[in-house]
Amino acid sequence: MKVGSRRGFLVGAAAFTASVSVGACRSRSGGNGDPLDVSASAKLPPAPESLAADGTTIVLGDPGAPLAVRLYEDMSCPACAEFETEGTAPYLKRAARNGALQLQFTLGSFLGPGSEVAANALRAALDQHRFADYHDLLYREQSRVRKSGGFTRDVLLGMAIMIPGLRGPEFDAAVLETKHRDFVEASDEVLRTSSVVGTPAMAVDGALVSSDSHELYTDRSRLYRHLKKASRAG
């Protein structure tokens, strides 16, 4: 599939959705001193949020962390929502909060205007240090929103009320006026010109996870072992 083809992304997302079967992951205690081995019940501080120097990468966690995991997503992609709510994305966010890695996001908008306004709103949420909470909320609500026509500015503002400290004159204006249009376009271009052929996609320390490694998106234990191996190689 050609990277520049929007249909290629859609086909890739559909294939991922069809193949996903998210099972329960064995909970680990995280008490062995391994920051990657973090329990779902661990009490963790929020991860630092920042925009990388490239102007298109949103980072959760310490930007200086030696292990970097990049996620390529579109906020309107059903497979991305499944990965974020039922797959291994929550584990990655806990690992970032635990200092084990920096979690990088490249937000595409190949699925249309709804994705564009959602990416803009997420960039505005970053300015308020509420990216992670808002990102989680949008994916939890994506299915419902998609059935009613997709993300719009009014929908995004209405949902932002649910995140304490997010709504305010600065955030509202950024959403209504598409303040971060340049970010949205540049981020989408990064995704379009990358080697990614479908979303969600993952790269570990710059190495794109192969398209047949679906278990890394669904199985916490397998992803842990993959990341552990990468950290040792680094």
PDB file of all heavy atoms in Angstrom, residues 137-155:
ATOM      1  N   LEU A 137      -9.852  10.748  26.704  1.00  0.00           N
ATOM      2  CA  LEU A 137     -11.294  11.001  26.634  1.00  0.00           C
ATOM      3  C   LEU A 137     -11.809  10.921  25.203  1.00  0.00           C
ATOM      4  O   LEU A 137     -12.849  10.299  24.933  1.00  0.00           O
ATOM      5  CB  LEU A 137     -11.606  12.367  27.235  1.00  0.00           C
ATOM      6  CG  LEU A 137     -13.062  12.838  27.114  1.00  0.00           C
ATOM      7  CD1 LEU A 137     -13.991  11.924  27.898  1.00  0.00           C
ATOM      8  CD2 LEU A 137     -13.193  14.283  27.583  1.00  0.00           C
ATOM      9  N   LEU A 138     -11.094  11.538  24.273  1.00  0.00           N
ATOM     10  CA  LEU A 138     -11.556  11.541  22.884  1.00  0.00           C
ATOM     11  C   LEU A 138     -11.619  10.125  22.316  1.00  0.00           C
ATOM     12  O   LEU A 138     -12.549   9.798  21.565  1.00  0.00           O
ATOM     13  CB  LEU A 138     -10.641  12.417  22.018  1.00  0.00           C
ATOM     14  CG  LEU A 138     -10.604  13.910  22.333  1.00  0.00           C
ATOM     15  CD1 LEU A 138      -9.879  14.666  21.224  1.00  0.00           C
ATOM     16  CD2 LEU A 138     -11.989  14.488  22.544  1.00  0.00           C
ATOM     17  N   TYR A 139     -10.676   9.289  22.674  1.00  0.00           N
ATOM     18  CA  TYR A 139     -10.723   7.921  22.178  1.00  0.00           C
ATOM     19  C   TYR A 139     -11.818   7.103  22.862  1.00  0.00           C
ATOM     20  O   TYR A 139     -12.446   6.244  22.230  1.00  0.00           O
ATOM     21  CB  TYR A 139      -9.367   7.230  22.328  1.00  0.00           C
ATOM     22  CG  TYR A 139      -8.472   7.450  21.120  1.00  0.00           C
ATOM     23  CD1 TYR A 139      -7.184   7.929  21.261  1.00  0.00           C
ATOM     24  CD2 TYR A 139      -8.948   7.184  19.834  1.00  0.00           C
ATOM     25  CE1 TYR A 139      -6.371   8.127  20.150  1.00  0.00           C
ATOM     26  CE2 TYR A 139      -8.150   7.381  18.721  1.00  0.00           C
ATOM     27  CZ  TYR A 139      -6.861   7.856  18.885  1.00  0.00           C
ATOM     28  OH  TYR A 139      -6.065   8.063  17.782  1.00  0.00           O
ATOM     29  N   ARG A 140     -12.057   7.356  24.138  1.00  0.00           N
ATOM     30  CA  ARG A 140     -13.148   6.639  24.813  1.00  0.00           C
ATOM     31  C   ARG A 140     -14.501   6.977  24.194  1.00  0.00           C
ATOM     32  O   ARG A 140     -15.402   6.132  24.124  1.00  0.00           O
ATOM     33  CB  ARG A 140     -13.178   6.986  26.308  1.00  0.00           C
ATOM     34  CG  ARG A 140     -12.068   6.380  27.124  1.00  0.00           C
ATOM     35  CD  ARG A 140     -12.389   6.391  28.598  1.00  0.00           C
ATOM     36  NE  ARG A 140     -12.726   7.707  29.120  1.00  0.00           N
ATOM     37  CZ  ARG A 140     -11.842   8.570  29.617  1.00  0.00           C
ATOM     38  NH1 ARG A 140     -10.556   8.244  29.646  1.00  0.00           N
ATOM     39  NH2 ARG A 140     -12.227   9.735  30.085  1.00  0.00           N
ATOM     40  N   GLU A 141     -14.634   8.210  23.748  1.00  0.00           N
ATOM     41  CA  GLU A 141     -15.910   8.681  23.214  1.00  0.00           C
ATOM     42  C   GLU A 141     -15.991   8.611  21.684  1.00  0.00           C
ATOM     43  O   GLU A 141     -17.013   8.962  21.104  1.00  0.00           O
ATOM     44  CB  GLU A 141     -16.151  10.132  23.652  1.00  0.00           C
ATOM     45  CG  GLU A 141     -16.258  10.317  25.156  1.00  0.00           C
ATOM     46  CD  GLU A 141     -17.486   9.636  25.726  1.00  0.00           C
ATOM     47  OE1 GLU A 141     -18.553   9.695  25.083  1.00  0.00           O
ATOM     48  OE2 GLU A 141     -17.382   9.039  26.817  1.00  0.00           O
ATOM     49  N   GLN A 142     -14.921   8.147  21.048  1.00  0.00           N
ATOM     50  CA  GLN A 142     -14.860   8.216  19.585  1.00  0.00           C
ATOM     51  C   GLN A 142     -16.014   7.496  18.902  1.00  0.00           C
ATOM     52  O   GLN A 142     -16.612   8.006  17.950  1.00  0.00           O
ATOM     53  CB  GLN A 142     -13.532   7.642  19.084  1.00  0.00           C
ATOM     54  CG  GLN A 142     -13.304   7.819  17.598  1.00  0.00           C
ATOM     55  CD  GLN A 142     -12.531   6.668  16.982  1.00  0.00           C
ATOM     56  OE1 GLN A 142     -13.065   5.602  16.726  1.00  0.00           O
ATOM     57  NE2 GLN A 142     -11.239   6.891  16.748  1.00  0.00           N
ATOM     58  N   SER A 143     -16.338   6.291  19.359  1.00  0.00           N
ATOM     59  CA  SER A 143     -17.395   5.518  18.708  1.00  0.00           C
ATOM     60  C   SER A 143     -18.724   6.265  18.740  1.00  0.00           C
ATOM     61  O   SER A 143     -19.424   6.357  17.726  1.00  0.00           O
ATOM     62  CB  SER A 143     -17.537   4.158  19.394  1.00  0.00           C
ATOM     63  OG  SER A 143     -18.592   3.420  18.823  1.00  0.00           O
ATOM     64  N   ARG A 144     -19.062   6.808  19.896  1.00  0.00           N
ATOM     65  CA  ARG A 144     -20.310   7.557  20.018  1.00  0.00           C
ATOM     66  C   ARG A 144     -20.294   8.789  19.130  1.00  0.00           C
ATOM     67  O   ARG A 144     -21.274   9.084  18.427  1.00  0.00           O
ATOM     68  CB  ARG A 144     -20.523   7.970  21.476  1.00  0.00           C
ATOM     69  CG  ARG A 144     -21.764   8.819  21.711  1.00  0.00           C
ATOM     70  CD  ARG A 144     -21.858   9.264  23.145  1.00  0.00           C
ATOM     71  NE  ARG A 144     -20.752  10.118  23.527  1.00  0.00           N
ATOM     72  CZ  ARG A 144     -20.687  11.419  23.251  1.00  0.00           C
ATOM     73  NH1 ARG A 144     -21.659  11.999  22.545  1.00  0.00           N
ATOM     74  NH2 ARG A 144     -19.665  12.145  23.658  1.00  0.00           N
ATOM     75  N   VAL A 145     -19.181   9.511  19.136  1.00  0.00           N
ATOM     76  CA  VAL A 145     -19.070  10.732  18.339  1.00  0.00           C
ATOM     77  C   VAL A 145     -19.133  10.405  16.850  1.00  0.00           C
ATOM     78  O   VAL A 145     -19.771  11.114  16.071  1.00  0.00           O
ATOM     79  CB  VAL A 145     -17.760  11.470  18.683  1.00  0.00           C
ATOM     80  CG1 VAL A 145     -17.519  12.622  17.718  1.00  0.00           C
ATOM     81  CG2 VAL A 145     -17.801  11.978  20.121  1.00  0.00           C
ATOM     82  N   ARG A 146     -18.500   9.311  16.442  1.00  0.00           N
ATOM     83  CA  ARG A 146     -18.488   8.940  15.031  1.00  0.00           C
ATOM     84  C   ARG A 146     -19.900   8.664  14.527  1.00  0.00           C
ATOM     85  O   ARG A 146     -20.257   9.025  13.402  1.00  0.00           O
ATOM     86  CB  ARG A 146     -17.586   7.711  14.839  1.00  0.00           C
ATOM     87  CG  ARG A 146     -17.174   7.458  13.401  1.00  0.00           C
ATOM     88  CD  ARG A 146     -16.107   6.396  13.295  1.00  0.00           C
ATOM     89  NE  ARG A 146     -16.550   5.109  13.779  1.00  0.00           N
ATOM     90  CZ  ARG A 146     -16.088   4.520  14.886  1.00  0.00           C
ATOM     91  NH1 ARG A 146     -15.183   5.122  15.622  1.00  0.00           N
ATOM     92  NH2 ARG A 146     -16.537   3.338  15.263  1.00  0.00           N
ATOM     93  N   LYS A 147     -20.728   8.040  15.366  1.00  0.00           N
ATOM     94  CA  LYS A 147     -22.102   7.742  14.975  1.00  0.00           C
ATOM     95  C   LYS A 147     -22.948   9.000  14.793  1.00  0.00           C
ATOM     96  O   LYS A 147     -23.938   8.985  14.066  1.00  0.00           O
ATOM     97  CB  LYS A 147     -22.745   6.828  16.019  1.00  0.00           C
ATOM     98  CG  LYS A 147     -22.152   5.431  16.049  1.00  0.00           C
ATOM     99  CD  LYS A 147     -22.743   4.612  17.183  1.00  0.00           C
ATOM    100  CE  LYS A 147     -22.088   3.229  17.256  1.00  0.00           C
ATOM    101  NZ  LYS A 147     -22.590   2.451  18.421  1.00  0.00           N
ATOM    102  N   SER A 148     -22.545  10.071  15.453  1.00  0.00           N
ATOM    103  CA  SER A 148     -23.309  11.320  15.359  1.00  0.00           C
ATOM    104  C   SER A 148     -22.705  12.313  14.380  1.00  0.00           C
ATOM    105  O   SER A 148     -23.100  13.474  14.342  1.00  0.00           O
ATOM    106  CB  SER A 148     -23.435  11.970  16.742  1.00  0.00           C
ATOM    107  OG  SER A 148     -22.153  12.315  17.241  1.00  0.00           O
ATOM    108  N   GLY A 149     -21.723  11.857  13.580  1.00  0.00           N
ATOM    109  CA  GLY A 149     -21.171  12.726  12.549  1.00  0.00           C
ATOM    110  C   GLY A 149     -19.708  13.064  12.687  1.00  0.00           C
ATOM    111  O   GLY A 149     -19.140  13.724  11.824  1.00  0.00           O
ATOM    112  N   GLY A 150     -19.090  12.670  13.775  1.00  0.00           N
ATOM    113  CA  GLY A 150     -17.660  12.901  13.929  1.00  0.00           C
ATOM    114  C   GLY A 150     -17.344  14.116  14.781  1.00  0.00           C
ATOM    115  O   GLY A 150     -18.227  14.842  15.249  1.00  0.00           O
ATOM    116  N   PHE A 151     -16.060  14.341  14.986  1.00  0.00           N
ATOM    117  CA  PHE A 151     -15.603  15.459  15.801  1.00  0.00           C
ATOM    118  C   PHE A 151     -15.889  16.796  15.102  1.00  0.00           C
ATOM    119  O   PHE A 151     -15.634  16.947  13.909  1.00  0.00           O
ATOM    120  CB  PHE A 151     -14.106  15.350  16.076  1.00  0.00           C
ATOM    121  CG  PHE A 151     -13.726  14.205  16.978  1.00  0.00           C
ATOM    122  CD1 PHE A 151     -12.979  13.146  16.495  1.00  0.00           C
ATOM    123  CD2 PHE A 151     -14.136  14.185  18.302  1.00  0.00           C
ATOM    124  CE1 PHE A 151     -12.622  12.085  17.327  1.00  0.00           C
ATOM    125  CE2 PHE A 151     -13.794  13.122  19.140  1.00  0.00           C
ATOM    126  CZ  PHE A 151     -13.034  12.072  18.651  1.00  0.00           C
ATOM    127  N   THR A 152     -16.408  17.728  15.864  1.00  0.00           N
ATOM    128  CA  THR A 152     -16.573  19.109  15.429  1.00  0.00           C
ATOM    129  C   THR A 152     -16.033  20.001  16.532  1.00  0.00           C
ATOM    130  O   THR A 152     -15.775  19.553  17.660  1.00  0.00           O
ATOM    131  CB  THR A 152     -18.052  19.458  15.177  1.00  0.00           C
ATOM    132  OG1 THR A 152     -18.754  19.414  16.440  1.00  0.00           O
ATOM    133  CG2 THR A 152     -18.698  18.489  14.190  1.00  0.00           C
ATOM    134  N   ARG A 153     -15.881  21.261  16.242  1.00  0.00           N
ATOM    135  CA  ARG A 153     -15.382  22.190  17.268  1.00  0.00           C
ATOM    136  C   ARG A 153     -16.308  22.226  18.473  1.00  0.00           C
ATOM    137  O   ARG A 153     -15.856  22.213  19.622  1.00  0.00           O
ATOM    138  CB  ARG A 153     -15.217  23.583  16.661  1.00  0.00           C
ATOM    139  CG  ARG A 153     -14.095  23.667  15.631  1.00  0.00           C
ATOM    140  CD  ARG A 153     -14.055  25.020  14.940  1.00  0.00           C
ATOM    141  NE  ARG A 153     -12.971  25.097  13.968  1.00  0.00           N
ATOM    142  CZ  ARG A 153     -13.038  24.632  12.737  1.00  0.00           C
ATOM    143  NH1 ARG A 153     -14.158  24.030  12.316  1.00  0.00           N
ATOM    144  NH2 ARG A 153     -12.019  24.744  11.917  1.00  0.00           N
ATOM    145  N   ASP A 154     -17.612  22.267  18.229  1.00  0.00           N
ATOM    146  CA  ASP A 154     -18.561  22.314  19.347  1.00  0.00           C
ATOM    147  C   ASP A 154     -18.509  21.040  20.174  1.00  0.00           C
ATOM    148  O   ASP A 154     -18.569  21.081  21.410  1.00  0.00           O
ATOM    149  CB  ASP A 154     -19.985  22.540  18.821  1.00  0.00           C
ATOM    150  CG  ASP A 154     -20.212  23.951  18.318  1.00  0.00           C
ATOM    151  OD1 ASP A 154     -19.407  24.842  18.684  1.00  0.00           O
ATOM    152  OD2 ASP A 154     -21.180  24.175  17.573  1.00  0.00           O
ATOM    153  N   VAL A 155     -18.406  19.889  19.504  1.00  0.00           N
ATOM    154  CA  VAL A 155     -18.304  18.614  20.220  1.00  0.00           C
ATOM    155  C   VAL A 155     -17.038  18.583  21.066  1.00  0.00           C
ATOM    156  O   VAL A 155     -17.055  18.168  22.234  1.00  0.00           O
ATOM    157  CB  VAL A 155     -18.331  17.436  19.229  1.00  0.00           C
ATOM    158  CG1 VAL A 155     -17.878  16.144  19.906  1.00  0.00           C
ATOM    159  CG2 VAL A 155     -19.725  17.257  18.647  1.00  0.00           C
TER     160      VAL A 155
END
